[in-house]
Structures are given as structure tokens and as C-alpha cells.
């Protein structure tokens, strides 16, 4: 894959986020470490996706500001933001009848203009993205004919085709079976380590987060309760506080990263 080493700052400064009159987060500040694979995790409805929407300019803060590459993200044109960061939202809808190749090619839209039409570099970026996500064999098929897992990989391919220094992904492992989840997370690690891309992903699986994140952000009730290296912050006490789940935390036997083992509910002795 093409090397990409441009690093940019992305942070939220005292933002208040919500929808209409419903406030999700208030006075929230967070910085994405440049060059990191940052994972945001927390219970349902804690504000993870809302934060990602704000960081990607899809949601305007009621107060405070999101800053991208030294400038308020609100000051950029949408096309200029799309040259700096790619976004995979939680739900995506493809136009009826569009082929996989045509959808992935739409990732090159930010690079097109009246003076710059489709080039060999655009074609190479599309092919590179489809190879990385193993969808080359699907290129001629219509997107609406695919399974949920196949569609998810095609959407990831489209975002990769943008070739931006930063990628934001909201629950990218949705609809994927366990093998494809690991395949995708390994790809994200490769993009981070080999291409130098900064990645921010919302995940639900705490053990996946611990294994792949270089920087972990843990949220609850619209607030950040812990952040840092997973090995330094993930404890049984934190999991109990955030998820209300009793557990033990041990070393993953493969990666030596924290692995959360739920204790489950006590079982009655029915032998008597």
C-alpha cells in the first residue's frame, strides 16, 4: 500500500454536543494523538458516535470548537475536509444499482476538479483499496446484492480510496463475522504502522480495543472517564465502573495486552 506519513492535529476543545434540545456531552475536551490508532469505547448511548460525528464535521458543537490541522474544522470547505480525513459512518446507503467498483471510485471525489479529471493515480488508489479489503472479486457486482459483511468491506474500501492522512470509522466491524473482524482490524493496524495514518475507530468489543488500540478513550454518560495506553488504564475496577460488569483482567496470551474475562452471574448449585 502507498505510504502516507502526513500527521495532523485533531482535537475537541470544550465542546457541548447534542441533538435539538438533548445534550449528550457538555464541556468535553479530547485530543487525538497524531499517528495513533485511537479506539473509543463505552456502553451504548454514551456519546461515542456523537463525538466521532463532531470530530468529522457532521455535527456542529453547540459550544466550543473542533480543531483540525490548526484551524477550526467549521472554517474548511467540505471538500477540503474530505482531503484531510475520511469517514466511515455507522450507517451508509449506496445508490440503487451502483457497482462495487463505482462506489469505491467515489472515494476519489475530493481529488477531482474541473482542472483535474480521472487519472491513473485515481485508478491505482481504487485498485489498492479494493485489494486491501479483499473486494476485487466483487468489483462488477451491484452493492445492493451483497451481504452485510461484504457491503461493509466495500464501504471501508471507498474510505481507503480517499487516501487521507486520517480515518474516522464508526463501528467498522458491524455485520462482519469474527474472521473478517480480525482481518479488518489487522488492516487498520497495518494502515497505522506502515502508512502512518492516524485512525480513530468506535468499537464495541473491549478486547479488540485493548488488542489493537495504541490510545484508548473510555466514555460513559457523555464524558471521558479514562484515556491512554490500554495496558495502563484497563482494570477490573474500570470495567465495573463503566460497564457495570464484574470481571478479571489478564494478559492476552498472544499480544500480552489486557484481556477482559467476564465473571458472569453466580450459578446455584443444583446437585442437591
Amino acid at each position: 500500500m502507498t505510504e502516507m506519513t502526513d500527521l495532523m492535529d485533531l482535537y475537541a476543545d470544550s465542546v457541548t454536543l447534542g441533538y435539538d434540545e438533548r445534550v449528550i456531552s457538555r464541556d468535553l475536551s479530547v485530543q487525538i494523538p497524531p499517528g495513533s490508532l485511537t479506539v473509543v469505547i463505552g456502553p451504548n448511548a454514551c456519546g461515542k458516535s456523537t463525538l466521532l460525528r463532531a470530530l468529522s464535521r457532521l455535527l456542529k458543537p453547540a459550544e466550543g470548537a473542533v480543531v483540525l490541522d490548526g484551524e477550526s474544522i467549521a472554517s474548511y470547505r467540505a471538500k477540503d475536509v474530505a482531503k484531510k480525513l475520511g469517514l466511515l459512518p455507522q450507517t451508509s446507503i449506496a445508490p440503487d444499482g451502483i457497482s462495487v467498483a463505482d462506489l469505491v471510485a467515489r472515494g476519489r471525489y475530493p481529488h477531482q476538479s474541473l482542472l483535474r479529471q480521472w487519472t491513473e493515480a485515481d485508478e491505482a488508489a481504487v485498485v489498492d483499496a479494493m485489494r486491501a479489503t479483499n473486494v476485487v472479486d466483487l468489483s462488477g457486482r451491484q452493492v445492493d446484492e451483497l451481504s452485510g459483511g461484504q457491503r461493509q468491506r466495500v464501504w471501508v474500501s471507498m474510505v481507503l480510496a480517499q487516501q487521507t492522512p486520517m480515518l474516522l470509522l464508526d463501528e467498522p466491524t458491524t455485520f462482519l463475522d469474527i474472521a473478517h473482524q480480525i482481518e479488518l482490524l489487522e488492516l487498520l493496524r497495518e494502515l497505522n504502522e506502515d502508512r502512518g495514518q492516524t485512525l480513530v475507530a468506535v468499537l464495541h468489543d473491549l478486547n479488540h480495543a485493548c488488542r489493537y488500540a495504541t490510545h484508548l478513550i473510555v466514555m460513559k454518560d457523555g464524558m471521558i472517564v479514562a484515556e491512554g495506553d490500554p495496558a495502563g488504564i484497563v482494570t477490573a475496577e474500570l470495567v465495573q465502573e463503566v460497564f457495570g460488569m464484574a470481571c478479571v483482567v489478564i494478559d492476552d496470551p498472544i499480544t500480552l495486552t489486557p484481556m477482559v474475562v467476564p465473571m458472569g452471574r453466580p450459578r446455584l448449585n443444583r446437585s442437591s
Side-chain angles (χ1 to χ4, degrees), residues 108-127:
R108 300 303 297 166
Y109 165 75
H111 304 278
Q112 306 299 306
S113 67
L114 291 176
L115 299 178
R116 184 192 182 283
Q117 299 301 307
W118 193 260
T119 66
E120 290 184 1
D122 294 317
E123 188 68 29
V126 170
V127 172

Side-chain angles (χ1 to χ4, degrees), residues 7 25-26 45 90 94 116 125 129 150 171 191 200 226 231 255 264:
L7 296 179
S25 295
R26 192 182 301 278
Q90 196 172 107
R116 184 192 182 283
Q150 289 172 324
E171 300 185 24
L191 295 172
V200 186
T255 62

Side-chain angles (χ1 to χ4, degrees), residues 180-196:
H180 284 118
Q181 287 180 33
I182 298 302
E183 181 181 286
L184 176 59
L185 292 168
E186 289 288 340
L187 170 62
L188 298 186
R189 180 176 0 210
E190 182 181 347
L191 295 172
N192 175 245
E193 293 181 350
D194 296 347
R195 294 178 64 173

Side-chain angles (χ1 to χ4, degrees), residues 2-168:
T2 305
E3 184 177 357
M4 185 177 303
T5 56
D6 291 342
L7 296 179
M8 297 184 301
D9 288 323
L10 177 64
Y11 64 90
D13 183 15
S14 300
V15 294
T16 295
L17 306 174
Y19 306 95
D20 298 325
E21 301 300 318
R22 184 166 64 96
V23 174
I24 305 296
S25 295
R26 192 182 301 278
D27 196 26
L28 178 67
S29 294
V30 65
Q31 182 160 10
I32 305 302
S36 68
L37 199 174
T38 292
V39 173
V40 186
I41 199 157
N44 291 339
C46 72
K48 303 185 298 294
S49 295
T50 299
L51 173 60
L52 205 71
R53 286 173 58 83
L55 291 175
S56 64
R57 196 174 174 263
L58 286 183
L59 178 66
K60 182 179 179 181
E63 297 178 11
V66 172
V67 178
L68 172 65
D69 205 15
E71 302 287 342
S72 169
I73 200 169
S75 68
Y76 288 99
R77 297 183 308 162
K79 199 167 186 177
D80 291 333
V81 173
K83 291 178 181 179
K84 294 179 178 291
L85 62 84
L87 172 68
L88 177 67
Q90 196 172 107
T91 55
S92 303
I93 301 175
D96 290 339
I98 193 170
S99 72
V100 167
D102 286 342
L103 182 62
V104 176
R106 293 195 174 199
R108 300 303 297 166
Y109 165 75
H111 304 278
Q112 306 299 306
S113 67
L114 291 176
L115 299 178
R116 184 192 182 283
Q117 299 301 307
W118 193 260
T119 66
E120 290 184 1
D122 294 317
E123 188 68 29
V126 170
V127 172
D128 185 47
M130 289 197 296
R131 284 176 178 163
T133 53
N134 291 323
V135 298
V136 173
D137 291 345
L138 304 175
S139 61
R141 294 183 58 183
Q142 293 187 2
V143 175
D144 52 16
E145 296 175 351
L146 304 179
S147 69
Q150 289 172 324
R151 283 197 299 270
Q152 188 72 348
R153 284 188 286 148
V154 171
W155 283 110
V156 172
S157 185
M158 187 192 77
V159 176
L160 294 185
Q162 276 182 246
Q163 292 189 324
T164 55
M166 185 175 293
L167 291 177
L168 278 61

